[in-house]
Amino acid sequence: MDMPATKEATAPAEPVATGTESDVIIETRNLTKVYRDFWGRQKVRALKALDLEVRRGEIFGLLGPNGSGKTTTMKLLLGLLFPTSGRALVFGKDASDVAKNERIGYLPEESYLYRFLNAEETLDFYGRLFDMPAKLRQERIRELIGMVNLGWARRRQLKEYSKGMARRIGLAQALINDPELIMLDEPTTGLDPIGTREMKDLILRLRDEGKTVLMCSHLLADVQDVCDRIAILYQGELKELGRVDRLLTVQDVTQIQARGLSPEAQAEIRQVIAQHGGELLSMDNPTSTLEELFLNIVRDSEARPGRRAQEKR
Amino acid sequence: MVLEREILPFWVWLLPRVDSDGVLHLGALLLFFLIVVGLAVVSVFLGYLRMMILQGPGEGFYAVAKSIATAISRDFPQTRMGRILAMARLAIQESLRRRVLVAFFVFAVVLLFAGWFLDPQSDHPARLYLGFVLSSAEPMILILAILLSVFSLPNDIKNHTIYTVVTKPVRASEIVLGRILGFCTILTFMLVVMCAVSYVFVIRGLDHTHTVHLDDMVPLGAAGDEAVSWTGETSRDAHHRHEITIGPDGFGQTDRQMDHEHSVWIVGEGDDQQVMIGPPRGALVARVPIYGTLRFKDRTGRPGQGISVGKEWTYRQYIEGGSLAAGVWTFDGITPERYPEGYLPLEMTLGVFRTYKGDIVSPVLGALTVKNPSTGLSSEPIPFGARDFVTLSHQIPQQLRAIDADGTLRDVDLFEDLVDEQGRTEIWVSCEEPAQYFGMAQADLYIRGPDRSFAWNFVKGYMGIWLQMIIITCFGVMFSTFLSGPVAMVATFMVYMVGMFKEFIMGLATGELPGGGPVESLLRTALQMNITIELDMGPVIDRVVPAIDRVLLFFMWVAATIFPDFGVFNTSRFVAYGFNISGHLLAQQLVMAGAFVVVLSIYGYFFLKSREVAA
């Protein structure tokens, strides 16, 4: 199966596998989160001993069904939740350190914005929280409103916005500080197909600009399209981690694509291609879809709880 | 005006001192630090307890230590005004969106219909008007302060809008301070408008004039004399009329009715002569009372106490008429330089208790005597007639006659002979009619200094409300950092109630007021048991109930100690009764409010910082 065009066009060279310490933007060590009730009794174990590393310049996807712990992971990384045990480090600093937020942009699952503000006021407010000088702030607001195509509605209160528009202004506020790390929680929720495409293109563009993107989603196609690496979570446990292209490669099957062969040659090709001088277009392993992989993992986890789904990466 | 608590000079209030009875008073500053240290210790301990339960003793200690270290080393120093202002702007925009300005209309409507409630025939219309506007502005702005401050943060957390805020480099301190600043700004704006509107309402409501024709005036003095004076009456306007006296120079004034008087003068010549009447004077004043200290002489003339005439409240004590009983005020700093007009302006408001009615219209006779506390030389008694709680003005002239030790009368000088070397003098007040009583408290007699501006006093009255509003807003925001909106509202309201009835609660907590603690009171209420009866319900209950009550009363005592005393801030009666709110009191209010802002902001910071906003 072909990779999508955009992905091919912008796919980076080999991933930053051998990154130095400073290239690790996000690191979680044994990160665990247990939700408790008022009396401190355990309600649910949302995340179990998660170890992750996200490196500079990659798009990292957290994938999992609802309630798998993706959003919990993101909230722990943002300091919105405190870990029960383990550590969450962003830029080498503890997630509870507010200073790290200078370099982070965050788009929550739904656009949780003040509905009584208009687009300009919204961006102005968030700009002020970064202590941005007025001139720079105005410039940035103009730029971002143009980028998300909301120029025509910039004076309208957000309560009058459609879901897609709110999503776009939400993205704009996440980028107000030109962040190095962007965390996107379900970035394509509520967007129409064109909006989804634009969002994905934007994510890729951000990566090309050298930014690191951490996104979580349960929309597999989105993840497959844009992510360099993914982690699949299921019931709070890490089930799979690796490069998307590798994860989707079916190792024990070879796929050959050929053109310009006579029917005889086609008959013979099954024996020896090279002897007949046909043009070999590709010879590689076919990929499954992410959906297939995902469902396999979920099924496997349900059949054998507590086991990492696939040993090979 | 009843002044239950003496207003101490600011520095005396602030710093530790030992009073004349040898009792040590810690002073506000030391008390504040003791409370802060106590609260800090308790808070850290409770915080550790919570973290210990959640994370174990070692981790818990680390977590508490880390959060304190982060606050001191990073979050407080990195708090930026720009971000506080951004949060404040948001709070203002939010308030406006929540249509807070509707309160103006409510206030306007209240003022429009005020005429229904205010008795136009009152003897003290100014007191009524001022009391009304101040006491309607106060609950309105405080309710608004509670409603605005307690719902904002919980709503942000509920709607998750807080996610996009706390993931910016904004400190919890900035969120708390920004909200306080924002809400206080909008409420201040509203209060300023309310202050201006109510000032105009009072001025216009009291403004009136009368008419009088010269033909209706009665000339005094022999006909043919050059200098003729007149007397007469004004028309009846605003439910009263005045008597007028106009002197030979064509100027005069009316008598005092309903706490005011008018200037009167004649303009024109011959047949065109007209009597002009000026606007009301003296209704809206800011008197500066200079208080002395009061002690009593009993009916035999020995130092002692006044007597109770059966009223439960001990604020005012009574002296018996026709006996040697007297109330003695001692005043300091009596120098001719301070009273250049050459007289001592006294004002006195006595309670008059009659044991027989007889003619109840006529005043009860009393006498004032000025006495030198060192030499004992005293002036001739100056007679006066007192009515129950009617303010009398007296000017003690500089030239007086005194009775010498040998019983002869001689002329004396007030400042030279009746004031001792330390500048002290005594005013003795006695009741001259047997079997009638004068009630007096320290604030009932004072020397009246030069008046201050009424408008500024009115503003100071509003400042009392303003400072209460700030404290309430701080409590509201602080509670909202860890409680849900409705619970925070109840908590803030409770703080206000405790603050309003602080002395009463303190009285209960310290056992000064009878009836026992909450459980005992409940039992007594249920069993219809009088508070004077011993609680006698068997050995177990008799022990258990007081034990539980002791714990509950301890918490009441703590609450009454640390919560603000809103009584101190409620100065509307000063304005209504025409007394200047002293700078000392204002300074105390400002310092107290400032202390609450600081402490509550710090608490708000820690509560918000230690809260998982996404939980």
Side-chain angles (χ1 to χ4, degrees), chain A residues 73-308:
Chain A
T73 308
M74 202 168 262
K75 285 176 178 170
L76 284 164
L77 288 168
L78 286 162
L80 293 170
L81 292 173
F82 306 144
T84 307
S85 64
R87 293 192 75 185
L89 300 171
V90 182
F91 296 115
K93 288 176 183 165
D94 198 277
S96 64
D97 186 352
V98 182
K100 73 176 192 312
N101 294 350
E102 297 275 3
R103 300 154 71 186
I104 292 180
Y106 168 56
L107 174 68
E109 197 171 346
E110 281 173 47
S111 297
Y112 302 126
L113 302 168
Y114 292 98
R115 289 159 51 80
F116 52 84
L117 299 178
N118 66 33
E120 279 185 347
E121 287 168 342
T122 302
L123 296 184
D124 185 65
F125 167 64
Y126 290 112
R128 282 169 191 270
L129 294 186
F130 283 98
D131 236 355
M132 287 164 77
K135 207 175 156 203
L136 177 67
R137 205 167 59 223
Q138 294 314 319
E139 219 168 89
R140 191 85 187 128
I141 291 170
R142 215 176 25 251
E143 212 174 280
L144 285 169
I145 286 185
M147 188 193 89
V148 296
N149 293 326
L150 282 174
W152 55 280
R154 62 179 196 272
R155 293 276 160 81
R156 275 167 60 178
Q157 287 187 351
L158 299 197
K159 67 175 176 182
E160 298 171 14
Y161 271 32
S162 71
K163 201 168 180 191
M165 289 161 77
R167 208 78 195 120
R168 269 140 63 189
I169 197 70
L171 180 70
Q173 68 79 27
L175 300 176
I176 187 84
N177 57 326
D178 194 14
E180 290 172 47
L181 166 66
I182 299 141
M183 297 201 198
L184 307 168
D185 196 349
E186 308 284 0
T188 56
T189 323
L191 294 180
D192 58 18
I194 300 170
T196 306
R197 183 71 260 165
E198 284 172 356
M199 176 66 86
K200 286 196 260 189
D201 286 345
L202 179 83
I203 294 170
L204 294 169
R205 199 164 78 225
L206 290 169
R207 194 258 319 269
D208 292 343
E209 286 170 14
K211 301 186 190 310
T212 310
V213 179
L214 171 71
M215 59 181 273
C216 66
S217 180
H218 56 255
L219 298 175
L220 306 173
D222 295 351
V223 176
Q224 187 170 1
D225 284 354
V226 295
C227 290
D228 299 321
R229 289 201 306 143
I230 55 168
I232 297 182
L233 296 174
Y234 183 74
Q235 291 184 342
E237 281 181 75
L238 181 67
K239 293 296 179 185
E240 190 53 80
L241 177 73
R243 282 188 60 79
V244 173
D245 45 10
R246 278 194 203 158
L247 286 174
L248 298 185
T249 302
V250 184
Q251 299 289 355
D252 52 355
V253 181
T254 304
Q255 177 180 294
I256 296 166
Q257 279 189 332
R259 190 167 58 195
L261 294 178
S262 63
E264 297 78 28
Q266 279 183 34
E268 281 179 40
I269 203 162
R270 288 180 182 81
Q271 298 164 5
V272 191
I273 295 170
Q275 289 176 359
H276 292 272
E279 187 190 355
L280 190 63
L281 281 184
S282 74
M283 181 180 274
D284 56 13
N285 307 103
T287 54
S288 73
T289 61
L290 188 54
E291 187 176 357
E292 221 168 295
L293 173 72
F294 183 74
L295 291 175
N296 278 340
I297 288 171
V298 170
R299 275 196 289 269
D300 192 46
S301 300
E302 278 169 356
R304 282 168 290 182
R307 219 189 116 217
R308 187 85 173 244

Side-chain angles (χ1 to χ4, degrees), chain B residues 424-497:
Chain B
R424 288 181 307 158
T425 190
E426 287 178 355
I427 308 285
W428 290 55
V429 176
S430 57
C431 179
E432 299 300 305
E433 291 190 29
Q436 308 290 45
Y437 292 79
F438 280 167
M440 44 190 78
Q442 188 155 294
D444 287 349
L445 186 146
Y446 51 86
I447 300 172
R448 184 167 170 179
D451 281 358
R452 296 285 166 82
S453 147
F454 166 75
W456 173 229
N457 204 39
F458 188 74
V459 171
K460 283 194 279 190
Y462 261 92
M463 276 175 83
I465 301 177
W466 180 65
L467 293 171
Q468 289 182 67
M469 175 208 91
I470 291 177
I471 296 177
I472 284 290
T473 307
C474 290
F475 267 104
V477 171
M478 188 273 286
F479 281 130
S480 74
T481 55
F482 66 99
L483 296 174
S484 69
V487 181
M489 185 175 77
V490 172
T492 313
F493 190 70
M494 252 193 60
V495 168
Y496 181 64
M497 293 312 281

Side-chain angles (χ1 to χ4, degrees), chain A residues 33 82 114 126 159 173, chain B residues 83 97 156 164 168 612:
Chain A
K33 178 65 191 174
F82 306 144
Y114 292 98
Y126 290 112
K159 67 175 176 182
Q173 68 79 27
Chain B
R83 286 192 291 259
R97 284 296 309 159
D156 264 17
T164 45
K168 306 285 183 282
E612 289 185 301

Side-chain angles (χ1 to χ4, degrees), chain B residues 334 372-373 413-421 423-425:
Chain B
I334 308 297
N372 184 324
D413 183 282
L414 172 67
F415 296 110
E416 281 179 19
D417 300 316
L418 297 175
V419 176
D420 74 3
E421 284 170 3
R424 288 181 307 158
T425 190

Side-chain angles (χ1 to χ4, degrees), chain B residues 196-487:
Chain B
V197 169
S198 55
Y199 184 76
V200 172
F201 173 78
V202 169
I203 298 286
R204 289 189 57 122
L206 295 178
D207 191 32
H208 65 276
T209 187
H210 303 268
T211 51
V212 60
H213 293 289
L214 200 56
D215 302 344
D216 301 334
M217 304 285 288
V218 181
L220 294 175
D225 282 359
E226 265 189 27
V228 176
S229 54
W230 292 268
T231 64
E233 267 190 346
T234 65
S235 59
R236 185 175 168 83
D237 295 287
H239 305 282
H240 67 282
R241 65 172 82 236
H242 295 270
E243 289 187 356
I244 309 176
T245 324
I246 301 177
D249 54 356
F251 290 94
Q253 66 173 33
T254 67
D255 65 348
R256 199 171 169 81
Q257 293 288 337
M258 289 185 165
D259 282 345
H260 72 276
E261 60 213 13
H262 301 262
S263 295
V264 187
W265 64 100
I266 295 174
V267 292
E269 290 289 324
D271 290 344
D272 295 335
Q273 276 194 331
Q274 276 185 321
V275 181
M276 305 297 288
I277 295 185
R281 256 189 308 126
L284 301 173
V285 288
R287 276 170 251 177
V288 181
I290 299 161
Y291 293 111
T293 52
L294 172 64
R295 66 179 202 276
F296 287 95
K297 298 281 179 191
D298 68 13
R299 65 194 315 278
T300 60
R302 280 193 291 268
Q305 293 293 311
I307 57 173
S308 161
V309 292
K311 304 204 176 172
E312 285 177 36
W313 195 28
T314 54
Y315 174 66
R316 198 167 263 116
Q317 299 184 35
Y318 284 75
I319 54 165
E320 191 184 338
S323 73
L324 292 173
V328 183
W329 276 268
T330 310
F331 291 97
D332 284 327
I334 308 297
T335 58
E337 292 76 32
R338 290 182 70 177
Y339 301 96
E341 291 90 351
Y343 59 84
L344 210 54
L346 286 188
E347 271 193 3
M348 162 167 79
T349 313
L350 298 178
V352 175
F353 182 79
R354 298 167 189 258
T355 54
Y356 63 91
K357 297 297 181 199
D359 172 14
I360 61 165
V361 180
S362 308
V364 174
L365 290 179
L368 277 174
T369 316
V370 186
K371 198 168 181 177
N372 184 324
S374 301
T375 62
L377 182 69
S378 68
S379 74
E380 222 181 358
I382 306 165
F384 65 87
R387 289 194 175 90
D388 200 19
F389 295 117
V390 173
T391 304
L392 297 170
S393 293
H394 270 285
Q395 293 176 356
I396 309 275
Q398 190 167 359
Q399 302 306 322
L400 290 160
R401 282 156 68 84
I403 308 152
D404 251 341
D406 55 6
T408 55
L409 274 173
R410 67 175 173 98
D411 289 335
V412 291
D413 183 282
L414 172 67
F415 296 110
E416 281 179 19
D417 300 316
L418 297 175
V419 176
D420 74 3
E421 284 170 3
Q422 286 90 44
R424 288 181 307 158
T425 190
E426 287 178 355
I427 308 285
W428 290 55
V429 176
S430 57
C431 179
E432 299 300 305
E433 291 190 29
Q436 308 290 45
Y437 292 79
F438 280 167
M440 44 190 78
Q442 188 155 294
D444 287 349
L445 186 146
Y446 51 86
I447 300 172
R448 184 167 170 179
D451 281 358
R452 296 285 166 82
S453 147
F454 166 75
W456 173 229
N457 204 39
F458 188 74
V459 171
K460 283 194 279 190
Y462 261 92
M463 276 175 83
I465 301 177
W466 180 65
L467 293 171
Q468 289 182 67
M469 175 208 91
I470 291 177
I471 296 177
I472 284 290
T473 307
C474 290
F475 267 104
V477 171
M478 188 273 286
F479 281 130
S480 74
T481 55
F482 66 99
L483 296 174
S484 69
V487 181

Side-chain angles (χ1 to χ4, degrees), chain B residues 555-585:
Chain B
F555 284 111
M556 278 167 68
W557 178 81
V558 170
T561 308
I562 60 178
F563 286 173
D565 185 353
F566 286 115
V568 175
F569 293 92
N570 191 346
T571 44
S572 55
R573 64 207 167 94
F574 281 81
V575 183
Y577 281 77
F579 285 89
N580 182 54
I581 298 167
S582 87
H584 292 288
L585 181 60

